[in-house]
Amino acid sequence: MADVNAMEKKLAEYKCDTNEATCLKLVRFPDDLDDDGTTFHPEYSHQIFGDDEVAFGYKGLQIQLYYTAGNLSTLFKVKYSSKVKDTFDCVEPDDVEGKIREIIPAGFTSNTDDFISLLEKEANFKPFGTMLHSYTVHNEEAEELTYQIHKADISCPGFLEYHKRLQTFLMWFIETASFLDVDDDRWDFFLVFEKYNKDGETLYATVGYMTVYNYYVYPDKTRPRVSQMLILPPFQGEGHGAQLLEAVHRFYCGLPKVQDITAEDPSENYVKLRDYVLTKLCQNLPSFDADKLHLGFSADMIKEAQEKLKINKKHARRVYEILRLRATDMSDEEKARAYRLEVKKRLFGPYRKNQRELAKMRKCLRPEELVSHMGQLDTQTQHEELEKSYQLALEDYRRIIERLASQA
């Protein structure tokens, strides 16, 4: 037994956290290759290495996936200080290299000198498609950096190969990501690039992107649905996501055949971002004037948000609640109560649905089954959950209002 425990301890030394072991870089200059400050790590690696996010069989494992900043030409290396097979003949290590090769497209190099040669060709890389929007951001060094948002599609020369490299980042940063079948011409791609200077030349670095699928809506409309959105980690927290989403909304608002814009299985962070962007867009619409908000959510708001900004009723309702909170003196007990009841009226919708279902159940369920379902719909629990949902919404709304104020 002691021998077994000793063996397990020794083998445990050959387990590596694959989030820590995977080192990603967006390389602009040769010096970046040896600069730890340019390295970032995945949030997730379970889709490649399994739910425990562990690779077995190596000590000091380092999986290097380095990309040129613009074209995303790729350097891939696996390094380690020792391998389990060197010590234990009968134990096989995980095929780390094979797992990575499954997600990165062919054409990568494993030679650093070859990668540096590719880096020298970055001056030839130009953003794909049509530029929709340009904006500037002040960074910590008090520099004013310029960014561009482009719309591309599969007809752009070289774009499909570039997109195959770009979408590998999804596996590391979106928990349930999958690669797209981009042969369908209903896909639109929106890309964010940073302009930067290198040896007197203007180059472009990839910042992030969004994919949108255009669904058909009878009889003659389309419904663009956001599928994936990712701002790469070195650029997160700088407002690029909001710039991208706003540019995409403005683009589709200019297309008469678009009915509204939705998102596929949006994350909590995406919903917060969307709330901010849509509120920013709606706040100057006449139907959302401050003096109209206390009258309640109106048909005019629904119509104007849909016709002018392609925003559906559900999203317009959240915008109304945010703007009404901004216009409400919450220290006034009567006004605060009126606002709380207005928001809770919406939040109570799912509970009302449960009650209708319960009424139907009374007609067809046996008494013991009915008791079981009624337990799930306890009134006290409903009130507690409703209050909790209200407070969470209030917290999110206040953050959006603060952000709007800071951008004013």
Side-chain angles (χ1 to χ4, degrees):
M1 186 68 176
D3 289 343
V4 171
N5 288 337
M7 175 68 79
E8 286 179 351
K9 284 183 180 179
K10 286 182 179 179
L11 290 176
E13 294 175 5
Y14 289 88
K15 288 184 177 180
C16 298
D17 180 325
T18 48
N19 289 330
E20 291 181 10
T22 305
C23 299
L24 306 167
K25 283 183 189 284
L26 294 169
V27 181
R28 303 186 184 197
F29 307 96
D31 289 350
D32 292 343
L33 290 168
D34 298 316
D35 181 0
D36 290 342
T38 63
T39 302
F40 55 100
H41 301 276
E43 287 183 32
Y44 311 103
S45 55
H46 61 89
Q47 296 204 92
I48 296 96
F49 295 107
D51 290 343
D52 57 357
E53 299 185 322
V54 166
F56 171 74
Y58 308 87
K59 282 185 181 179
L61 178 66
Q62 188 179 84
I63 302 161
Q64 296 180 345
L65 272 171
Y66 299 166
Y67 298 80
T68 59
N71 194 46
L72 304 179
S73 302
T74 311
L75 172 69
F76 168 47
K77 285 185 177 183
V78 175
K79 301 171 76 175
Y80 48 86
S81 56
S82 65
K83 203 173 186 178
V84 71
K85 207 168 182 182
D86 300 337
T87 309
F88 303 96
D89 291 337
C90 58
V91 182
E92 286 293 324
D94 290 342
D95 182 10
V96 169
E97 186 168 328
K99 290 176 185 291
I100 298 293
R101 282 174 176 268
E102 288 178 10
I103 67 160
I104 61 172
F108 63 86
T109 181
S110 295
N111 182 285
T112 302
D113 290 337
D114 289 346
F115 182 74
I116 291 173
S117 296
L118 292 170
L119 197 58
E120 292 168 356
K121 297 177 182 177
E122 280 285 276
N124 300 324
F125 174 76
K126 296 293 182 283
F128 298 95
T130 306
M131 188 176 80
L132 300 180
H133 178 56
S134 178
Y135 61 98
T136 58
V137 172
H138 292 276
N139 72 353
E140 291 177 0
E141 285 78 35
E143 266 188 286
E144 193 170 79
L145 301 175
T146 300
Y147 297 86
Q148 295 180 353
I149 297 173
H150 287 242
K151 177 188 175 290
D153 56 46
I154 58 175
S155 67
C156 297
F159 176 72
L160 279 178
E161 291 74 20
Y162 165 84
H163 179 262
K164 286 177 184 177
R165 298 188 291 274
L166 176 59
Q167 71 176 348
T168 60
F169 287 101
L170 296 176
M171 291 297 164
W172 307 116
F173 297 103
I174 296 181
E175 192 170 6
T176 56
S178 58
F179 289 163
L180 301 181
D181 174 13
V182 295
D183 292 337
D184 192 330
D185 61 8
R186 289 184 177 227
W187 283 108
D188 288 333
F189 301 87
F190 299 88
L191 307 157
V192 188
F193 298 97
E194 179 193 326
K195 289 175 70 174
Y196 70 99
N197 188 280
K198 181 180 179 183
D199 301 328
E201 292 186 286
T202 298
L203 276 72
Y204 294 87
T206 300
V207 171
Y209 80 121
M210 177 188 287
T211 58
V212 180
Y213 191 79
N214 293 282
Y215 283 88
Y216 168 72
V217 178
Y218 180 85
D220 62 349
K221 299 282 187 181
T222 61
R223 173 173 284 129
R225 181 182 291 177
V226 176
S227 174
Q228 298 159 329
M229 178 179 178
L230 177 64
I231 301 299
L232 296 172
F235 304 97
Q236 289 176 4
E238 298 175 352
H240 301 296
Q243 290 280 357
L244 175 56
L245 188 54
E246 183 174 346
V248 169
H249 258 274
R250 290 190 183 281
F251 169 76
Y252 286 120
C253 285
L255 303 180
K257 287 191 173 294
V258 170
Q259 178 162 302
D260 56 25
I261 305 160
T262 62
E264 181 183 342
D265 192 21
S267 68
E268 187 177 328
N269 286 336
Y270 179 85
V271 170
K272 291 175 182 178
L273 180 66
R274 181 176 63 194
D275 283 346
Y276 164 72
V277 169
L278 298 190
T279 303
K280 181 183 176 185
L281 292 171
C282 284
Q283 63 183 344
N284 295 319
L285 295 179
S287 61
F288 288 88
D289 281 348
D291 60 351
K292 296 177 182 176
L293 294 168
H294 73 282
L295 300 174
F297 185 51
S298 69
D300 286 345
M301 293 174 183
I302 297 168
K303 183 180 179 184
E304 192 172 24
Q306 201 282 323
E307 289 182 353
K308 293 184 178 179
L309 296 172
K310 314 295 186 183
I311 297 172
N312 63 34
K313 179 180 177 181
K314 179 182 175 183
H315 299 160
R317 169 73 197 208
R318 288 178 67 87
V319 167
Y320 152 75
E321 290 176 7
I322 294 164
L323 291 175
R324 178 163 174 177
L325 176 61
R326 186 172 71 174
T328 299
D329 179 2
M330 295 298 279
S331 65
D332 183 314
E333 193 173 321
E334 187 176 332
K335 290 177 181 177
R337 181 176 181 276
Y339 177 79
R340 184 172 63 252
L341 291 175
E342 182 73 2
V343 175
K344 285 189 173 182
K345 184 168 69 175
R346 174 184 63 81
L347 294 172
F348 193 65
Y351 298 103
R352 271 202 302 267
K353 183 181 177 184
N354 283 342
Q355 287 171 337
R356 288 195 296 270
E357 289 175 352
L358 181 59
K360 293 176 185 175
M361 288 177 189
R362 290 180 191 278
K363 299 175 183 177
C364 58
L365 291 181
R366 294 193 301 272
E368 61 272 21
E369 292 175 322
L370 188 58
V371 168
S372 171
H373 283 279
M374 288 180 71
Q376 297 172 24
L377 300 167
D378 173 72
T379 304
Q380 179 63 30
T381 303
Q382 285 184 24
H383 284 304
E384 289 172 0
E385 289 297 316
L386 191 58
E387 178 61 22
K388 183 179 176 183
S389 297
Y390 170 71
Q391 291 299 335
L392 287 172
L394 213 58
E395 192 178 314
D396 289 340
Y397 291 176
R398 282 177 172 144
R399 272 197 292 266
I400 291 166
I401 291 167
E402 287 171 9
R403 186 173 180 184
L404 288 168
S406 71
Q407 300 295 318

